[in-house]
Amino acid sequence: MKQLSPYIVERNVDQVLPYRPVPSRPGADDMAGIGLAECWKVIHARLRLIGGTVAATLIITATVVFTMTPRYVATAKLLIEPEPPRLMDVSTLLQSMQNDSATDDYAKTQYSLLRDDQLVAEVIRELRLESNPNFAERPGLLKRIIGVLPQRIVVMLPLGPRSTNAKDRLGVSTASIDNYLKHLDVAPENGTRLVRVRFDSPDPALAAQIVNTHVADFLALSQQIRSDASGAARTFLEKELVRIKAQVEKSEAVLNQYRDRTGILSFGEKDQESNEVARVRMEELDKALTAAQDARIKAEAEMVQVKNGAYDSLPDVVSNTLIQNARPEVDRLEAQYAEMSSKYNDAYPPLREVRAKLRAAQARLATEVTAIARATERKYAAALLGQNNLEAEVEQERRRDFARNDASLQDAVLAREVDANRAIYEAVLKRRNEIGVNGAAPVSNIELVEQAVAPPLPSLPQKAKALMIAGLGSTLLGIALAFMLEHSDDRLKSVEELQSYLHLSELAILPDFTKLPGRTIRLPPDGALGMLRNAADPDSAVESHRRHALATLEAYKPLRNALLYSRAGGAPRTILFVSALPLEGKTMTASGTALAFAQTGARTLLIDADLRRPRCHRVFDAVDSTGLSEILVGRVQPSQVLQRLDNWSENDYEGLFFVSAGRPVPNPGELLTSMRMFETVQGLSEDFDFTLIDAAPYASASDTMGLATMVEGVVVVAAIDTPRQTIRGVCQRLSDAGAKVLGVVLNRVNPRDSAFINQSHHYGYGLYGSDLERKFIGAAAVD
């Protein structure tokens, strides 16, 4: 049984400097600090992404804004002062002129009235906008699709409206009202009492006509509301005036008849002191009764409004802040419900939620109004009760006066009754005049300041602004995407990062040969370097590939030089090439480096130790019938399988020898970590100046760890897209096994990558192998 030794090489501290990456907390590498230079590197590396994002956004935005129908915005200005005071009430007038705290609610009420559905429907009907093509809104794609479906299917759809021609107000469809409100804008100017009313339309003349008609109808509506509010009260007071006037005339006739019958000229001729007390008391009672009757009449006037259902005209309703604040909410919910009900059926959850909110808001509003109406009824009952009580007390006082002096007291009572009736009549007359003047007075707190005119230029779309915003937003989005991709990119992005993260030296930066400038012919995958053997082949295609192979060889000279001077006291003579993952360019790197060593004139051996998937023989177009596997099983001696790769131009590579992998074996791991393998490597290294071994990828085979302990140095080949954690893990495990990691070769780097442009070397791809160079480097290799 063959002796197996996975770790057969013993090294002392002077020979091996173990690889120990500095431990760091999670995220420490990303948090090391980022400055303007790093930000610029990220942006510069992702310029194509940022530019593509900006270009795509600008193209889409330009397509949208340049295909949109231009819309013209017409504007009218209104001056809305606080609620007008009652002209006949001087105290209220002065108070209103000095108090500005209650104007906000009134202004909000007017803004809501400007967007009232009834007003909008009136304007649409008056201007016949539903038949105007510039007003009708073009249906969207979804509506057009629904329009071609059968009606029975449309009814079943949750998005399909129940009836597209439903009429809501004044014979105007809800869709037209919603379309009108969508293009109507009512906004106050900050710091002033001016309100802008704007409407946009494809027709500038139509936009101005709609705004002017809307404002005119609103002014008429405001005047009508004030007139209707005082109409019912004025009618009731006129009826009361007729009754009170008749009562005054009757009381005056009775007084005159009594005085004529009794001959009384004045009150208090007998018992002057007692009569004076009675007179004063009676006068006080009369005044109280007059006030009570006045209060009762005012309350009764309000009761008439309550009975007629004109709750909105009640003073307490008008002055109630909660009700005035609730009305816009109800109007908004009604509009929202009308809009959604025209599109969705009753089973649609958002529609049911809006309907519930509308009912709740209407219930709260009705509750407040009902409470005020009931308070009005209670106030009327209290005023009537107070009047009745005062009348009873007056009646009692009158009887006492009659008992004291029937004749004189009767005269006084009649006189006071006449005065009371006159006072009531005057109070009612005054109140009626106030209501009449306030309702019909031309004085208004809402005035039209500026009429709308047809705009000469369209206001929408704002192309320059849209493009500027799109450009700025897409730039920020592109930069954000660049940083997100950079943060998620787990590759090594620069030589500095390679050195700081792996704490290893960078041996070489090898370019991606398919992306080099001037590469019009891609190298074939197999036999690429083997073409160098046929220098005299007249085939032009083969000659072209051979020239490219010669040029490719120049890329591996910096790696050769780095290995020659990788340590003090002489270059390592046995070097193992490993990679973390397959297809990272390890085989090509090992083969090219071997050629570069042989170009110096040094006796060089390349061993293909990847017994699972050997490829070195394909690179050189060599024979793979007998090789390393036959040596390890003892069938042949190493000298019997050596292939000499010579007969090249100018004999530059006469010192390159090759040992292929040989035939496949069932146990490559046991063979490669055996004592026989160690002895073979040691024996061959005595016959050659440099022995380079191409091993299997670390992730594919466990025998690579054993091979790493048999050589003087290990070169880790990593593709540019290999995760950096994977590379560091391989280097860590190799060092833990006792291998000497010389450094890392970063392969397949884009030559245009600015992060590696200073390290990737601008190769001239000529043959630098002059006699002086071979003599100098060859001497260093022998040392």
Side-chain angles (χ1 to χ4, degrees), residues 298-349:
K298 292 182 179 179
E300 190 173 358
E302 295 178 359
M303 273 297 299
V304 172
Q305 294 179 335
V306 172
K307 292 179 180 180
N308 294 335
Y311 295 144
D312 294 338
S313 300
L314 292 175
D316 291 341
V317 173
V318 175
S319 61
N320 190 292
T321 305
L322 181 60
I323 293 177
Q324 297 304 323
N325 290 336
R327 287 188 188 279
E329 178 65 16
V330 172
D331 294 340
R332 184 186 67 79
L333 291 174
E334 287 178 349
Q336 186 177 0
Y337 179 75
E339 178 183 359
M340 295 183 66
S341 63
S342 65
K343 298 180 180 180
Y344 311 107
N345 57 24
D346 294 337
Y348 188 56

Side-chain angles (χ1 to χ4, degrees), residues 171-238:
V172 178
S173 66
T174 303
S176 298
I177 295 177
D178 295 339
N179 183 33
Y180 187 102
L181 291 174
K182 184 171 67 174
H183 298 289
L184 177 67
D185 179 45
V186 178
E189 292 187 359
N190 295 331
T192 67
R193 292 177 178 174
L194 295 176
V195 179
R196 295 191 305 270
V197 181
R198 296 182 292 189
F199 193 90
D200 63 274
S201 171
D203 186 0
L206 179 62
Q209 184 183 13
I210 290 175
V211 172
N212 291 329
T213 305
H214 189 97
V215 171
D217 290 351
F218 170 72
L219 294 175
L221 176 63
S222 300
Q223 187 67 27
Q224 184 64 33
I225 291 174
R226 287 197 299 272
S227 299
D228 293 343
S230 59
R234 185 169 61 250
T235 301
F236 169 76
L237 292 178
E238 288 175 351

Side-chain angles (χ1 to χ4, degrees), residues 148-188:
V148 300
L149 296 177
Q151 185 64 26
R152 63 178 182 273
I153 299 178
V154 174
V155 174
M156 297 173 59
L157 292 176
L159 297 178
R162 288 290 181 180
S163 177
T164 57
N165 297 321
K167 302 296 181 180
D168 186 20
R169 296 178 184 269
L170 300 178
V172 178
S173 66
T174 303
S176 298
I177 295 177
D178 295 339
N179 183 33
Y180 187 102
L181 291 174
K182 184 171 67 174
H183 298 289
L184 177 67
D185 179 45
V186 178

Side-chain angles (χ1 to χ4, degrees), residues 245-358:
K245 183 178 181 181
Q247 185 177 350
V248 170
E249 293 175 351
K250 181 180 179 181
S251 62
E252 288 177 347
V254 171
L255 178 59
N256 290 331
Q257 291 177 3
Y258 181 78
R259 286 182 176 178
D260 291 341
R261 187 173 61 250
T262 58
I264 297 176
L265 297 177
S266 63
F267 182 77
E269 290 182 351
K270 300 178 181 180
D271 197 1
Q272 184 67 29
E273 183 177 356
S274 176
N275 289 340
E276 181 64 21
V277 173
R279 185 185 66 81
V280 172
R281 177 171 176 76
M282 185 57 71
E283 288 179 353
E284 291 177 353
L285 289 174
D286 285 340
K287 292 180 181 179
L289 179 59
T290 301
Q293 289 177 337
D294 190 19
R296 191 266 307 166
I297 292 173
K298 292 182 179 179
E300 190 173 358
E302 295 178 359
M303 273 297 299
V304 172
Q305 294 179 335
V306 172
K307 292 179 180 180
N308 294 335
Y311 295 144
D312 294 338
S313 300
L314 292 175
D316 291 341
V317 173
V318 175
S319 61
N320 190 292
T321 305
L322 181 60
I323 293 177
Q324 297 304 323
N325 290 336
R327 287 188 188 279
E329 178 65 16
V330 172
D331 294 340
R332 184 186 67 79
L333 291 174
E334 287 178 349
Q336 186 177 0
Y337 179 75
E339 178 183 359
M340 295 183 66
S341 63
S342 65
K343 298 180 180 180
Y344 311 107
N345 57 24
D346 294 337
Y348 188 56
L351 179 61
R352 293 165 59 187
E353 180 180 359
V354 172
R355 181 176 57 195
K357 291 181 179 180
L358 176 60

